Structure formats: structure tokens, C-alpha cells
Amino acid sequence: MKINYKKVIFAIMLLIIGFHIGRFLKKEHNVSYNIDSYTIKEHFYQNKKHWYDFIITKKKHTYIISLDENLKKKKRVIQKIITYKEKHVVCILPIYTKTKTRNLYCNLDNKQVSLDYLIKTKNGDFKKIQSKIKKFKINYPQSQEKKKKYRKINVYNSNIDDKDTYVIWDYKGIYLLNSEENQYRKILNKDLYDNVMAELVDHFYMLLENRSVKGIQTIYYYDIKKDRIKKWNPEIVLSKDSYINGTEKKFIFITDNKTKKEYMLNINKRQIKELDTGTTSYVTYDNYKEKNLSKSDFFAEKQYFKVSKIENYYYYQKDNKIYKYLESKEKKPILLFELDNIKEWSITKDEIIVLKDDTVYSYTDKNGLRKILENKELNYNYKNIYKVWRNK
């Protein structure tokens, strides 16, 4: 039989093209495999980035880790696992395919904890492991104690991420604090102490002046990128009994309790309009997912948008400790840090912002728990006073 080589070559080319198209379109995979007596469950998913979540188990030890790197959607990306053990602490060092990323993950008494927790608690077993692993040049969380006095505030500029700007309300204006410099911008001529209605959206810091019995007649907005303050008198006057629900995309959602109406504000267009949700439906957001509530349920209490999730991880507080857990592993939480007298904490982008007494902290897995600023006014007045803007 005569072989048609052109057709064979064409078929092979189609298979190769099909393989690469399929790989390009693939957004997710789940695989399980074993390495060095460890069982690994690998979950890859793609949104704006490439993410790998791993559940690694061996007897009583479970390690839940994530990798944010573009590895061309490869499967089975862990090649080797190196184990280090000292009495109460057992750590693993995964070796990956096509990346030199080297991160350490540890269990303390069979429960996973962050490296920052072990460092802050000065764990002796962990110090011994650190001495054994110097050749891998692990980047451990670090924070600086050096602070700089700026007007009324102590600022730890070295602890502020290069992309972050902290915006702090100070009754007449705002502090702008970043890793390079500290500035102050005056907005009002008279002090505004109570019921501060302020929000960050896109690159605008917005202040809704809410002290007139007539309602909110003026909105001030500061453009962080252009260093410019403007004010606007909206066509709709919200009553004094109004509050900000939160932000979604480039919109601020506001509820007027007096008129029982919900509004959406777009500062780019200088536009405020009532939400057209029908006569019985009001909008709130839970972890960026829209939820519709009846009028009675919506006005039964204040509806603040809730964010307790970053990617596939949920965060929560128990006593003085903050934990996170993978969505599919709620019973295997990871202890991130411990801090007495936490007044409040929130999630902003990919970091946790914490207020203790008069001090604002930031936590990320990379940097650990860091002091950002100290302001004595936060002992008395802290609701809606401090915000974080991240430059993309």
C-alpha cells in the first residue's frame, strides 16, 4: 500500500496545532501525584494571573501552599520536596519545574503557621532550621523599626510597599504616606470630626461633607495621580442619614436611610443615580459577588460590602489571631499572626490592614506583619479614617 506522506504530515501538523490551541485555551486543571512520600493535589487556574494551589500531605502533616507564576500551564510542577525537622517544627521546601522560587512552609505541632509567626514568636526550633537552610537563600519576612515623625504621625516608610499610598483623614485634610515621602493636603476650612463619609475608588479619594442639616450638598475628591483637589455639587442631595456601603469596580454605593433609596456614584462622570433595582430589590456585595435583598432585609441593618477572600483563600479572626484557609480546606486553617487588642481589620487587594490601639499594621505572606504608622488620634476616632491606595 502506498503511503500518502503529505496527508500524514498534514495530520501530524493538525494534531500539534490542536494540542497547542487546547493548551492555550485551558483555564484549569486538577492532578494528584506522589513525591518523596508526600501526596500532592495540584490545582491550576487562570484568571488575570496563573495560580497553582497545592495540598501536600504526609501522615499527620498537611501543607497548603500557592504559587503565583506562569509555568506555561504545566502539570506536576513540583519535582522534589526537602524536609527539615526540629522537635515541634517541621518544614518543607518544594522544588518546582522551570522556576527558581524557593519558599519554606512550616507546621508547628502539626498545624501550619506562617514564617512570620515563627519569627515574631522567636521559635527556637525554627531558628535551628534556618541555620540548616542558608544555602537556598530563602527570603524571610522582614520589617523595620525605624520611624519618621511627620506632623502628628509616626511613619514607618521603609515598611510601606512601593505601590501603596496610605491616606489618613485629619479633620481638615489628608496625609499621604508612601515609601518615599510624606505629604499633607488641606481640603476643608473647618474641622470635620464625626460621621466621616470617605472612600477610595480608582485613583480618587472622595469626601462627602455630611454636617449640614440639609444633607450632603458638596463632594470633595482628590486625584492622587494628578495631586489635584476638586469639589462637586451633585444634582441629587442625599440626606444627613446616609452612609457608604462600599465600592465595586469604579463605583461607590451609598444608601439614604431617610428616603430608603440606594445610589451609585461615578466620580469619573460626576454622576450619581438611584439604582434601578425594582421596588423590592436592593444590592449589596459579598466577596465581589452581587446579592439582592428585599427592602425589609436591606434596611434591617446597615449593609456594608464584605470582603474576606483573596483568590481561593478566606480570612478570619479568632481571639487575637488571624487565620486563612483554602476554600476546599476550611478545617485546615493557617495561622498568620497574633496581635493583642485588634480594633478592626480589613482586606485591601492582596494585603490585610490591621488597627491595634493607635497603630496601623500591614500583613502579606511575603512581608509579614509590619508597622505602618502611629497616630494618637486613632485611640479615639478611627472609623473610616485610614485608607490604602495601590497604584497598579
Side-chain angles (χ1 to χ4, degrees):
M1 186 177 74
K2 190 174 182 180
I3 298 174
N4 190 325
Y5 288 102
K6 288 185 179 180
K7 288 185 178 180
V8 171
I9 292 171
F10 181 71
I12 292 172
M13 290 178 64
L14 285 178
L15 286 171
I16 293 171
I17 292 170
F19 171 78
H20 285 289
I21 290 174
R23 189 173 178 179
F24 176 78
L25 295 175
K26 182 180 70 173
K27 300 292 183 181
E28 189 173 19
H29 74 240
N30 287 283
V31 294
S32 297
Y33 50 104
N34 296 305
I35 289 179
D36 301 327
S37 301
Y38 287 95
T39 298
I40 302 170
K41 291 183 179 179
E42 174 184 300
H43 175 213
F44 164 81
Y45 61 101
Q46 182 183 356
N47 39 39
K48 292 180 180 179
K49 296 182 178 180
H50 290 70
W51 285 94
Y52 285 87
D53 290 330
F54 304 94
I55 301 172
I56 303 172
T57 57
K58 182 179 181 181
K59 296 181 180 179
K60 294 181 180 180
H61 296 285
T62 298
Y63 303 87
I64 296 171
I65 69 179
S66 295
L67 182 66
D68 171 19
E69 285 202 36
N70 186 354
L71 302 182
K72 310 298 182 184
K73 306 181 183 180
K74 286 181 67 66
K75 295 181 180 179
R76 302 171 183 263
V77 298
I78 295 180
Q79 291 184 322
K80 183 180 180 181
I81 296 176
I82 304 173
T83 306
Y84 298 89
K85 184 177 181 180
E86 286 289 342
K87 294 183 180 178
H88 298 282
V89 178
V90 182
C91 300
I92 62 169
L93 178 67
I95 308 298
Y96 303 100
T97 302
K98 290 189 176 181
T99 176
K100 293 182 179 180
T101 297
R102 297 288 185 267
N103 291 322
L104 198 63
Y105 305 91
C106 298
N107 276 8
L108 172 63
D109 294 326
N110 301 332
K111 294 180 180 178
Q112 191 171 350
V113 298
S114 72
L115 297 187
D116 189 65
Y117 179 81
L118 292 170
I119 293 169
K120 292 286 197 305
T121 56
K122 299 179 181 179
N123 186 282
D125 291 340
F126 182 65
K127 287 181 179 179
K128 291 178 182 178
I129 290 174
Q130 283 182 293
S131 67
K132 295 178 180 179
I133 201 171
K134 289 181 179 179
K135 66 178 181 179
F136 287 106
K137 297 181 180 179
I138 304 296
N139 291 320
Y140 296 103
Q142 293 181 347
S143 61
Q144 301 295 324
E145 292 301 315
K146 183 181 178 181
K147 58 187 176 183
K148 179 180 179 180
K149 184 79 172 181
Y150 180 69
R151 295 168 73 107
K152 301 178 187 177
I153 296 181
N154 289 324
V155 188
Y156 295 80
N157 297 92
S158 299
N159 288 342
I160 300 177
D161 189 280
D162 291 341
K163 295 181 180 179
D164 286 349
T165 297
Y166 284 76
V167 185
I168 316 297
W169 175 249
D170 188 48
Y171 306 129
K172 283 182 181 177
I174 52 176
Y175 292 96
L176 298 156
L177 316 172
N178 59 46
S179 61
E180 299 294 331
E181 61 181 349
N182 305 312
Q183 301 179 72
Y184 183 82
R185 295 291 180 267
K186 184 181 176 181
I187 295 177
L188 304 177
N189 292 320
K190 295 181 180 180
D191 286 348
L192 175 62
Y193 290 97
D194 301 320
N195 196 19
V196 178
M197 290 182 66
E199 191 56 87
L200 268 173
V201 61
D202 201 5
H203 54 280
F204 295 103
Y205 176 85
M206 296 185 54
L207 176 73
L208 287 71
E209 190 175 12
N210 190 17
R211 55 182 160 192
S212 170
V213 293
K214 295 180 181 179
I216 300 170
Q217 299 175 300
T218 305
I219 296 175
Y220 297 86
Y221 56 103
Y222 173 73
D223 188 326
I224 299 175
K225 288 186 175 180
K226 295 182 179 180
D227 189 21
R228 184 184 302 165
I229 298 171
K230 291 185 179 181
K231 67 178 183 178
W232 167 46
N233 301 111
E235 62 275 14
I236 296 174
V237 176
L238 300 168
S239 80
K240 189 173 177 64
D241 187 16
S242 298
Y243 69 96
I244 294 174
N245 304 92
T247 64
E248 178 62 23
K249 296 180 180 177
K250 296 186 178 182
F251 303 102
I252 295 177
F253 289 74
I254 305 169
T255 294
D256 190 328
N257 273 323
K258 182 178 180 180
T259 61
K260 296 294 186 284
K261 293 181 179 180
E262 186 180 10
Y263 296 90
M264 188 167 68
L265 191 155
N266 184 340
I267 193 59
N268 285 294
K269 295 183 178 180
R270 296 194 8 156
Q271 180 185 74
I272 182 170
K273 62 179 182 179
E274 182 182 355
L275 262 68
D276 185 15
T277 56
T279 56
T280 59
S281 181
Y282 292 78
V283 174
T284 186
Y285 282 84
D286 189 347
N287 287 315
Y288 310 107
K289 292 183 179 179
E290 182 178 317
K291 292 175 64 177
N292 294 298
L293 300 177
S294 66
K295 185 175 183 179
S296 59
D297 287 341
F298 188 87
F299 288 99
E301 60 182 351
K302 288 189 174 181
Q303 301 294 331
Y304 296 109
F305 294 177
K306 301 179 181 67
V307 180
S308 60
K309 185 180 181 184
I310 302 175
E311 293 301 330
N312 282 344
Y313 287 91
Y314 285 91
Y315 294 74
Y316 70 94
Q317 178 182 355
K318 185 177 181 181
D319 300 324
N320 295 322
K321 298 176 180 178
I322 301 293
Y323 297 83
K324 73 174 182 179
Y325 65 87
L326 192 63
E327 192 168 7
S328 60
K329 284 289 182 180
E330 186 174 353
K331 293 183 179 180
K332 292 289 185 180
I334 303 166
L335 173 56
L336 302 179
F337 61 88
E338 182 175 11
L339 199 61
D340 292 336
N341 304 320
I342 295 175
K343 286 183 180 178
E344 64 179 12
W345 63 279
S346 60
I347 293 173
T348 304
K349 302 299 181 183
D350 58 353
E351 64 185 311
I352 302 173
I353 307 301
V354 186
L355 176 63
K356 166 188 161 62
D357 300 327
D358 66 351
T359 305
V360 176
Y361 294 79
S362 166
Y363 175 87
T364 65
D365 290 332
K366 178 183 177 182
N367 298 327
L369 188 67
R370 292 178 162 186
K371 284 184 181 180
I372 300 299
L373 63 95
E374 296 164 342
N375 181 4
K376 290 182 180 179
E377 295 296 326
L378 293 173
N379 282 313
Y380 321 105
N381 187 11
Y382 60 88
K383 292 295 183 183
N384 215 29
I385 298 298
Y386 55 96
K387 305 285 182 183
V388 186
W389 176 70
R390 171 153 287 191
N391 189 14
K392 297 178 180 179

